[in-house]
Amino acid sequence: MAAFVAGVGAEIDHPVGLGMRSKPIDKTPVLVESPLMHCRSFHFLLSSFCFFSTLGFTAADDSPEQWRKERRLIDLHQHVGSSEPLLKRAVSIMDRAGIGIGVNLSGGTVTHKEGQPSAFERNKALGDRLFPGRFAFYMNLDYAGWDDPGFSERAVRQVEEGHRLGAAGLKEWKRLGLYLRDKSGKLIRIDDSRLDPVWRRCGELGLPVSIHVADPRAFWLPFNSDNERWIELKDHRPWWFGDTEKYPPRMDLLNALDRVVARHPLTTFVCVHFANNSEDIDWVDAALDRNPNMMADLAARIPEIGRHTPKKVHRLFIKHQDRILFATDFMVYSRLTLGSGGSGPAPTDEDALGFYAKHWRWLETWDRQFEHMTPIQGDWKIDAIGLPPEVLRKIYFDNARKLLVRRLPLPRLRANRIEADFDLDGRLDDAPWPSAAPARIESQINTGAANPEIATTARVLWSDQFLYIGYRSPYTELTVFEPPLKTGERRGLWNKDVVEAFVGTDPYNSTHYTEYEVAPTGEKLDLNITPTDKSLEWNSGFKAVTHIDREQKIWTAEMRIPLKSLSPEQPGQKTVWRINFYRHDRAHRAFLGWSPTATGSAHTPAKFGHLTFGP
Ligand SMILES: [Zn+2]
């Protein structure tokens, strides 16, 4: 059937009333320039940062300030100790900095005593219980028994166990090639063939490997006060590798990792600390060119990367914009560590916010010659690289969401309480809508790849009687069934453009949920799903009204679902339901989800996010 522009609401509409800046969608750059991009000064950045955290904030929908306000950023490289106070401190800093998800690379090993949970299980359980949705955990490998026969097989079983327990990836740190030794005292090589089955199994299971090898070049230079990293080195004697009797040359380590990455093309290696070679960005560029399965995180290396010619670094980041990941090496133990630490006074929470803010400054402005975020690394200044918003969002979260799609923490959304019900007009211009936080429906459900050009939102309200869901869907071309069915339901409505909500309210049975769909034409259907039945006959009594703004090329929809049809129990402040939002857009071949399922199917209730009921 030919694409067809639906004939609902033919009149030209006033702008959609969500207090967002409407913008043309097709061909023009996806992300509007934010005020930040024009006012490239750090003071502006800091003042806007304080502003949103205290007073509320209005900005273009797609700006770094807005992403931070919604805490969309992912820090792919953190180390957080496993206790309630430490997790609390980490989250309070993440909240204020605008970080939604911290990836804790120190998840621990899966080794455990009979009948007891492993360190990995304990860490993950605590984080998930105290702060659901805020942390992903990488597992670490236990090298016990390295010298015994069958180590590889046992190590593969560790990886499989970690995967089963919900590890988002595997982290290996610089102990390989520098510290870990076998029984005879020889260093365990990074490219030792006994580890190949581990890297291979990670690839098969879709677990990315974050790997740190070697260290800054200065750690191989003479250990004295002429060393440019002297302040850092003198507090960390074990970080000095200049003794050629004990340690291999630095490039040997980088080359060994390069061989491993090349040998395992189906495994994704996130080579941390800017591919472990921020001193030589030409090398990093060539390594990324050579190895399509390699990515680079920024953890603790902006002070080094920022010393290079900013235009050159900018070009490198533009070229590899899909392969670079925001990461800081933020550590929360008995003291904070901000990229690196020493014997000086312990950093405060305010210092941590300044540390994050300098990342924004370096990535987002063109500021010249300012003090970097980890002064102990050395006494020099850095130059910022002024990345455009469409690249920033990839580095801040899109690339990480895709990398972690199988193990993204489930998102949470709050439904806002309303006292009075209102009539639907499909326009989202009723007063309560803007107060509700948006669920961002941008990720392809199977791969997690972002589609910012048709970035869709859903907002949820609730009253005594109804659950309201409002969708805002930019489009370039609508594909719909014509004429729309006015009565009855069409199986396969989802084969053309629709927005959908899948709602699970049964805490004892996640495979029972209900599904609601509406097309731009206003045609709708609802389904009651159980493992054995997908009944079209079921009728929730839900209403849906749509509106098409042809000038802005945005279609909007309002759904109103009777609470009685969803659950026999009235939701309240403690209720948590499961929900996922989807959108089909044929013109973009897009099947987007709020919480990507990492399968081809929306019917993956284990991946539904959480809906809470706010005041
Ligand atoms: Zn680290």
Side-chain angles (χ1 to χ4, degrees), residues 77-79 105-106 171 173 212 272-273 299 328-331:
H77 191 140
Q78 294 187 344
H79 304 276
L105 299 183
S106 295
K171 167 71 193 299
W173 59 85
H212 177 182
V272 303
H273 303 315
T328 63
D329 220 350
F330 174 58
M331 288 188 207

Side-chain angles (χ1 to χ4, degrees), residues 48 66 97 118 123 126 160 172 189 227 276 312 386 418 424 428 432 434 449 464 486 495 511 547 581 602:
S48 66
Q66 181 66 19
S118 62
N123 291 343
L126 186 68
E160 289 167 346
E172 190 48 77
R189 294 166 55 98
N227 192 306
N276 304 295
K312 185 175 174 181
I418 53 171
L424 306 186
L428 293 180
D464 281 342
K486 296 285 184 212
N495 290 323
T511 61
H547 181 80
F581 307 101

Side-chain angles (χ1 to χ4, degrees), residues 82-137:
S82 187
S83 79
E84 182 160 353
L86 297 180
L87 288 162
K88 260 194 181 143
R89 187 174 190 191
V91 168
S92 106
I93 292 166
M94 286 159 61
D95 280 352
R96 293 171 68 196
I99 309 293
I101 296 174
V103 178
N104 187 353
L105 299 183
S106 295
T109 71
V110 300
T111 306
H112 62 96
K113 293 208 179 86
E114 194 61 41
Q116 285 177 25
S118 62
F120 179 83
E121 272 180 283
R122 286 198 310 272
N123 291 343
K124 184 171 187 307
L126 186 68
D128 288 351
R129 178 168 64 77
L130 294 175
F131 297 104
R134 301 304 298 275
F135 293 102
F137 293 84

Side-chain angles (χ1 to χ4, degrees), residues 306-367:
R307 301 170 87 176
H308 298 282
T309 314
K311 282 268 160 59
K312 185 175 174 181
V313 180
H314 177 96
R315 280 197 301 275
L316 180 75
F317 274 57
I318 298 291
K319 179 181 173 190
H320 297 295
Q321 57 187 268
D322 298 314
R323 319 260 300 273
I324 296 173
L325 297 147
F326 174 71
T328 63
D329 220 350
F330 174 58
M331 288 188 207
V332 187
Y333 291 98
S334 59
R335 59 187 273 156
L336 298 180
T337 304
L338 306 174
S340 183
S343 56
T348 64
D349 290 19
E350 294 306 316
D351 294 334
L353 293 175
F355 170 75
Y356 274 109
K358 287 218 172 156
H359 287 77
W360 320 146
R361 183 183 187 187
W362 185 74
L363 286 158
E364 296 169 24
T365 78
W366 282 109
D367 285 356

